[in-house]
Amino acid sequence: MMIRGIVRISIYVAILSAILILLQELLGTDPKALIQTTLLAMTPLALAAAGEALNQRAGMVNIGIEGIFAISAIAGVYMAEVLGNGYLGLLFGGLVGALIGFIMAVVSIYGKADQIIMGMGLNIAAMGITPFLLRAIWGFPGLHLPPKEVLIQRLDIYGFQISIVTIAAIVIAIALHIILHKTYLGLWIKAAGEAPEALDAAGHNVNMIRMITPTIGGFLAGLGGAFMPLDFFGSITKEFTAGRGFIALACVISSNLEPMGSLGFALIFGLADALAPVIAITPGVKESVPYQFILALPYIVTLAVVAIAVKGRKLPRALGIPYSRE
Amino acid sequence: MDDSGGRDRPYISMRGIVKIYPDGTLALRGVDLDIYRGEILGLLGENGAGKTTLMKILSGFLRPTRGLIYIDGKEVRFRDPSDAINRGIYMVHQHFSLVPSFTVLENLCLVHGRGFLTTLKGLDLDIVREKAKKLLSVLGLDVPLDIPVENLPVGVRQRAEILKALFIGANVLILDEPTSLLTPYEAKELFRFIKELAQKGAAVIFITHRIREVIEVTDRVVVLRRGLVAGEMITRSATPEKLSELMVGGEAIVRREIATSERNILAGKPILSVRGLVVLDDLGRPVVKGVDLDLFQGEILGIAGVEGNGQSELVEAITGLRSVLKGSVILNGVDITNKTPSYIYKHGLIHIPSDRDRLALALDMKIYENVLIGLQRNPAYHHNIIPRIINWDTVKKAARELIKRFSITAESLDAKARALSGGNRQRLVIARELSKGAKVVIASNPTRGLDIASTSYVRTILRELRDRGAGVLLVSSDLDEILELSDRIAVIYDGKILGILSREEAKRVDIGLMMGGVQAS
Ligand SMILES: Nc1ncnc2c1ncn2[C@@H]1O[C@H](COP(=O)(O)OP(=O)(O)O)[C@@H](O)[C@H]1O
Ligand SMILES: [Mg+2]
């Protein structure tokens, strides 16, 4: 599994490099800048997708990542400013996400609520809450710029800028891969998704597992959400998430619920995200194609990739089905 | 077996157990049960008597609505199966509790590592494999450890379950209808094995509705009827008649009817003829290895054999659900080899599948909608003005008739098929299939899981079909059923027909031996 994952990642990297070389020829863009932006755009997707892949393996579904992104971002920036520390802001964003994930899990397990509807509800609620909080906290409904001091400093490796959170996202995806495929917890998670009654009969607590994974998934989504204003954009706007929560879900399903695969797809979508503005302002393209169309590129790529990748995917048998003994 | 020792005090006592399911079903109405160390306790009762429910309570799966459990005189409360497992109580469920996509080894890991401290520990695959191999050689069992459970035949899955129970060192082993999938030979092995276990001091609770097995293997038997203890006996002093009476209450039912021996099998050509059939399983291994069969009009040809010897693949190949690698299937003169199920059905073959909930019914659709399955292209059910549009009134009328004719107990036509009990589901399937009016019927385990009334009803229908001249291919892992119904009996073992016996020459022992792979002399 590990080796297959590495091979897969290498293939993505190879394809990516080819595209980059091609782009440099065609558009004359600086490949370094493009890679830097790609990795930044990849990070929130990878964090959320790796966590959600783990979560769906346990038979749970959280389609409210978009909502968690928005709420955690505001919470993260707020706490970063209060404490004057961007890292604490990131952590707080993660904790808020974890709390949301946990509450949704409890409501779905013990209240037998439909997880899809709950996730939708969260997304819609977040759409309303974001401008409200922006105005309530910072007095501007449109845009807020956190002070420079609380923004996360990028690492500089021989002139190549990379965020520590990006490195963390890669490490986390690998760690979740190992947990899922090599440890007892992973075995329990997969059993919870495939045959919860068998997990129960073996003397394990199905609902405990099914509360742990949404909490982990929520934490990672929250981290990704807080990362966007505190690192990626350096600002927070009204609709800054721009459907990235849904793109993260596309990573999950395209990867066949594999954390490492999710990372790979996040890379592809990250590239599309980074590329869109570059193409839009390229001379020749700028005049002939409306820029709105180019900016839709990430979403079109998502649609295309999901359409191709989703074929023959085998989802866990008990996905989205609450477990009860009687 | 010495059952005088250690009898003074029960190891486990259940007192006044009442269980009401959330939907209001009163499954147990105050049951007392004692279990002693070193005994094999038979728990006998009809379908729905509450045997499974009672044992799910003892194994921590269900909490009793009322009542107490004592171990060694001390009260215990099981909140989860893990509490029971920690006390050495393990239940092998009738429908198994293995993760289908996991290998047997991974399933064993599921019981090997438990508790918070193992959470992030790497899987101990090597340790588990060693321990499993040791257990297997001690028990003389054969279970492949590295094949996903879903690819194993049902009989092997059961062995994997028992392996799992012993893997955790259970000293109270509950087996829920364990023999339903075994050959007589395998059942004997199981009996020998649980007797050994009991001699070593374990308590074995053996749930069954087969009186013969109770007499053969148990030391003591408790009979449940409608959620109450109907009686308790030391097996030595029990007779089949007495047990049967306790089980069904009052009048004992005569279960065996001798199959009509003199069947005038129409001379001439067989109505279904299978030649040199080779079929692969899901993993691409040949599991049907050259089968020849002839089915004549007016006969029931029984195929006896232990689950997993190729019979399900054989049936799937004949009915068009699985492709044929080599050989041919001729139905009434028409070559139906590798044809689609709808083509085959059009040429007069119907299939009553073993897995009716998956293959024969759409459980979440309404009863009358289920009546239409397979008949949706039949113009009789279409609108008479607009072609190809289904006329639901006609369908409902047909459904109503079938329900009446086959005595199906259903709340309404609009109820989901899921709401029907097992017996009524099977009646619905049979009713629908027979309404297609075919000349060849393939019935796979047609009475599995049904209550006595439905079982005898289904068997009567199969006999009637035969009497009216249809050819019935009966595939069943229940030898009693085969013996009761068949005019000829073919025994399948390891993908081949070991022999075909006529009803007269068929002796239970011989068939049992052949099912275990021993050619009768
Ligand atoms: N999950 C359930 N919900 C509601 N009723 C049930 C459930 N399981 C079993 N029952 C009912 O409880 C009674 C006892 O069932 P069971 O213990 O399975 O009997 P047995 O094992 O003796 O066949 C039956 O009437 C059955 O329909
Ligand atoms: Mg039962």
Side-chain angles (χ1 to χ4, degrees), chain A residues 179 181-185 187-188 190-191 194-195 197-204 314 317 323 325-326, chain B residues 19 22 61 79-82 85 97 100-101 106 109-110 112-115 118-119 121-124 150:
Chain A
I179 287 176
H181 295 296
K182 304 283 170 195
T183 68
Y184 280 99
L185 180 61
L187 198 70
W188 302 339
K190 285 185 280 189
E194 287 287 344
E197 64 289 342
L199 184 67
D200 194 11
H204 300 284
K314 198 170 146 277
R317 262 169 236 243
Y323 175 67
R325 284 186 193 141
E326 319 202 353
Chain B
K19 178 66 193 179
F61 241 92
R79 290 170 48 243
D80 287 298
S82 67
I85 289 176
S97 22
S101 55
E106 285 170 328
C109 282
L110 222 44
H112 177 73
R114 291 194 298 122
T118 45
T119 305
K121 210 166 147 250
L123 296 176
D124 308 295
E150 60 196 347

Side-chain angles (χ1 to χ4, degrees), chain B residues 247-521:
Chain B
M247 208 165 121
V248 296
E251 79 289 12
I253 291 177
V254 183
R255 298 189 65 175
R256 280 186 55 85
E257 287 170 47
I258 308 297
T260 328
S261 51
E262 296 299 323
R263 275 295 140 204
N264 46 333
I265 292 172
L266 297 182
K269 277 202 268 171
I271 190 160
L272 178 77
S273 139
V274 174
R275 284 288 167 271
L277 202 69
V278 178
V279 182
L280 305 181
D281 69 1
D282 294 337
L283 296 181
R285 301 169 305 196
V287 280
V288 175
K289 305 173 181 171
V291 164
D292 297 318
L293 275 180
D294 282 320
L295 177 69
F296 294 91
Q297 283 192 308
E299 75 160 344
I300 296 180
L301 172 58
I303 298 198
V306 194
E307 203 94 2
N309 276 291
Q311 54 271 69
S312 50
E313 286 84 1
L314 174 66
V315 167
E316 286 170 4
I318 295 176
T319 53
L321 295 171
R322 182 179 289 274
S323 59
V324 172
L325 187 70
K326 262 193 236 142
S328 65
V329 187
I330 309 291
L331 171 66
N332 219 353
V334 181
D335 187 350
I336 57 162
T337 320
N338 282 329
K339 292 288 192 300
T340 63
S342 72
Y343 180 91
I344 293 171
Y345 139 64
K346 249 186 252 155
H347 286 81
L349 181 143
I350 58 172
H351 179 201
I352 299 167
S354 196
D355 191 353
R356 55 181 162 268
D357 290 349
R358 216 165 54 81
L359 290 180
L361 292 171
L363 289 183
D364 287 315
M365 291 178 76
K366 293 173 178 155
I367 289 171
Y368 71 85
E369 290 169 332
N370 270 285
V371 165
L372 193 66
I373 294 177
L375 292 166
Q376 66 274 21
R377 293 200 192 85
N378 187 333
Y381 294 95
H382 291 175
H383 213 278
N384 39 18
I385 304 169
I386 321 162
R388 296 201 159 256
I389 296 293
I390 288 159
N391 185 344
W392 289 106
D393 288 338
T394 321
V395 176
K396 280 188 189 171
K397 213 172 107 216
R400 222 169 276 127
E401 259 163 40
L402 290 179
I403 283 181
K404 210 157 92 208
R405 193 141 61 82
F406 289 81
S407 330
I408 298 170
T409 318
E411 243 167 59
S412 89
L413 278 181
D414 292 317
K416 286 181 176 177
R418 192 180 288 287
L420 295 173
S421 72
N424 284 309
R425 287 181 193 177
Q426 185 68 317
R427 283 172 195 234
L428 180 62
V429 171
I430 290 179
R432 179 188 72 212
E433 292 305 316
L434 296 191
S435 73
K436 297 175 181 172
K439 295 301 283 175
V440 172
V441 179
I442 314 256
S444 251
N445 291 310
T447 62
R448 176 178 288 172
L450 303 192
D451 53 62
I452 286 190
S454 295
T455 298
S456 77
Y457 186 79
V458 168
R459 291 180 184 169
T460 307
I461 286 189
L462 292 178
R463 275 194 215 98
E464 275 177 23
L465 275 168
R466 181 241 340 249
D467 294 344
R468 276 193 258 124
V472 179
L473 189 67
L474 171 69
V475 181
S476 176
S477 47
D478 180 349
L479 186 52
D480 289 323
E481 176 163 88
I482 296 271
L483 287 170
E484 183 183 323
L485 291 175
S486 313
D487 300 296
R488 292 188 301 143
I489 298 168
V491 182
I492 188 167
Y493 178 79
D494 193 24
K496 293 193 198 89
I497 302 290
L498 275 200
I500 299 186
L501 309 168
S502 73
R503 179 70 192 87
E504 292 74 31
E505 57 187 18
K507 278 204 241 94
R508 171 179 286 277
V509 211
D510 293 343
I511 296 179
L513 284 173
M514 283 164 84
M515 283 166 74
V518 185
Q519 187 85 50
S521 50

Side-chain angles (χ1 to χ4, degrees), chain B residues 68-194:
Chain B
L68 298 170
I69 303 174
Y70 302 88
I71 295 185
D72 270 335
K74 278 197 261 345
E75 191 195 327
V76 289
R77 271 169 205 269
F78 294 153
R79 290 170 48 243
D80 287 298
S82 67
D83 292 340
I85 289 176
N86 291 339
R87 293 297 200 129
I89 301 172
Y90 187 84
M91 174 163 174
V92 176
H93 291 259
Q94 193 175 3
H95 297 294
F96 309 137
S97 22
L98 297 161
V99 182
S101 55
F102 284 10
T103 63
V104 175
L105 194 65
E106 285 170 328
N107 271 291
L108 291 176
C109 282
L110 222 44
V111 287
H112 177 73
R114 291 194 298 122
F116 182 70
L117 291 178
T118 45
T119 305
L120 286 179
K121 210 166 147 250
L123 296 176
D124 308 295
L125 291 173
D126 294 332
I127 299 174
V128 173
R129 185 187 300 278
E130 275 313 298
K131 195 171 159 194
K133 276 191 175 155
K134 228 175 261 164
L135 263 176
L136 284 174
S137 73
V138 170
L139 306 172
L141 285 178
D142 182 25
V143 178
L145 295 176
D146 295 306
I147 296 179
V149 169
E150 60 196 347
N151 296 331
L152 293 174
V154 186
V156 181
R157 285 186 212 180
Q158 167 145 44
R159 273 178 254 155
E161 266 286 16
I162 291 177
L163 172 66
K164 195 169 127 193
L166 298 171
F167 192 91
I168 62 168
N171 64 358
V172 177
L173 180 63
I174 303 164
L175 302 170
D176 195 353
E177 313 251 1
T179 53
S180 51
L181 305 171
L182 304 183
T183 51
Y185 176 74
E186 280 180 308
K188 279 259 164 17
E189 284 293 292
L190 177 74
F191 292 167
R192 178 190 60 75
F193 168 72
I194 57 182

Side-chain angles (χ1 to χ4, degrees), chain B residues 35-53:
Chain B
I35 299 158
Y36 296 86
R37 279 202 172 89
E39 77 164 347
I40 302 174
L41 172 65
L43 201 54
L44 184 69
E46 275 277 275
N47 264 319
K51 308 178 296 288
T52 300
T53 304

